[in-house]
Amino acid sequence: MTPAAEPDEAASPRRLAQDAARVILDAAGLDRVDIALVLGSGWGGAADVLGETVAELPAGEVPGFAASGVPGHSGTLRVVRFAAGADGSPRHALVLGARTHFYEGRGVRAVAHGVRCAAAAGAHTVVLTNGCGGLDPEWAPGTPVLISDHLNLTAASPLEGATFVDLTDLYSSRLRRAARAIDPTLAEGVYLQMRGPHYETPAEVRMARTLGADLVGMSTALEAIAAREAGLEILGLSLVTNLAAGISPTPLAHDDVVAAGRAAAPRLAGLLAEIVRTIA
């Protein structure tokens, strides 16, 4: 008996990811990439110091992607060649500077498209970065923090139908150890994703602390779930760009988030590039 065809709607995210991967790989002249980076606020400079850009595409020219409307995000997709391993052998990173946030209203499929594209392009690992609010007053703006786990308060999932995926050790303990071997001062924390685009109220921040969160933001968790389902190993890194509402003595503003990211960018770029060379 011939197996039933997969429903079109369920198959379309995979097909779209494959189409996007093919466009990117053709532009780079490659069969596959080794690792993917999703660059959030403050992390964009990592691609420049990691290695040689062999292809760069505006996001709007690649199936499923759209130009970023969020300040602090580049809106381009790049393939970067770099040396890794003890022998310095060449590796290739897909650098996604065109993250779609859930609050943009394009749906959760669009949010997950980047990591699905990375998996379709052959990546075995993805590094998810973000700028976020910190709940620990000792983490000043500019502090990088490893994500050890997350709380998804978006009331959504990138998985559809009876797709049951284990999220134990979602943020790889092996990769976190590798990152701390490079910078032993890196702290760890639980990241909580809200839907946004508004910042959290002081009451919501108190709730987040009660639930066990150390960081709050508007990205990453949905991407991580999709990345796990796609078979990727995940490293998460947050940049504390501001103290969260009720902890910060001043009102929150996106300009301040961008400014904190710019101030921390040189250190973050070097740190992330070194981590990527180690884990690729």
Side-chain angles (χ1 to χ4, degrees):
M1 178 182 289
T2 304
E6 193 171 20
D8 242 14
E9 191 173 340
S12 62
R14 274 195 300 280
R15 284 205 304 266
L16 192 59
Q18 290 163 356
D19 291 345
R22 180 45 50 201
V23 169
I24 294 165
L25 293 173
D26 284 350
L30 297 171
D31 293 326
R32 60 173 294 138
V33 298
D34 301 286
I35 190 169
L37 288 71
V38 180
L39 299 182
S41 299
W43 297 94
D48 296 325
V49 300
L50 177 58
E52 173 195 3
T53 296
V54 296
E56 184 167 10
L57 298 166
E61 296 181 4
V62 180
F65 288 95
S68 177
V70 183
H73 295 261
S74 72
T76 63
L77 310 174
R78 297 165 66 175
V79 177
V80 176
R81 181 182 294 121
F82 61 99
D87 60 353
S89 57
R91 302 280 199 279
H92 292 90
L94 172 57
V95 181
L96 300 164
R99 165 181 269 153
T100 294
H101 296 80
F102 196 32
Y103 58 71
E104 294 179 63
R106 294 182 57 220
V108 73
R109 285 186 175 183
V111 173
H113 179 61
V115 296
R116 287 176 172 149
C117 171
H124 54 76
T125 301
V126 63
V127 182
L128 301 174
T129 69
N130 61 60
C132 69
L135 275 61
D136 186 335
E138 294 187 5
W139 292 346
T143 301
V145 180
L146 291 165
I147 301 175
S148 59
D149 206 343
H150 80 225
L151 294 162
N152 173 17
L153 266 65
T154 66
S157 171
L159 309 184
E160 302 175 32
T163 307
F164 305 113
V165 176
D166 177 32
L167 301 183
T168 304
D169 196 28
L170 179 62
Y171 299 91
S172 168
S173 56
R174 183 185 75 85
L175 296 182
R176 297 203 311 273
R177 286 194 300 271
R180 284 196 303 273
I182 293 166
D183 184 351
T185 69
L186 284 171
E188 287 192 3
V190 174
Y191 179 89
L192 184 148
Q193 181 179 352
M194 294 284 203
R195 183 182 179 113
H198 52 275
Y199 291 109
E200 301 75 29
T201 67
E204 288 169 338
V205 169
R206 290 195 300 272
M207 174 192 71
R209 295 179 78 169
T210 300
L211 291 175
D214 305 290
L215 309 156
V216 291
M218 305 174 193
S219 67
T220 304
L222 295 174
E223 294 164 330
I225 295 167
R228 167 55 63 85
E229 191 268 338
L232 296 170
E233 190 174 15
I234 303 156
L235 178 67
L237 278 161
S238 288
L239 167 67
V240 176
T241 56
N242 55 274
L243 293 176
I247 299 173
S248 170
T250 57
L252 305 181
H254 187 68
D255 287 347
D256 295 334
V257 171
V258 173
R262 286 201 192 105
R267 180 197 170 198
L268 296 182
L271 172 64
L272 185 53
E274 192 171 354
I275 290 171
V276 170
R277 293 188 191 104
T278 300
I279 67 176

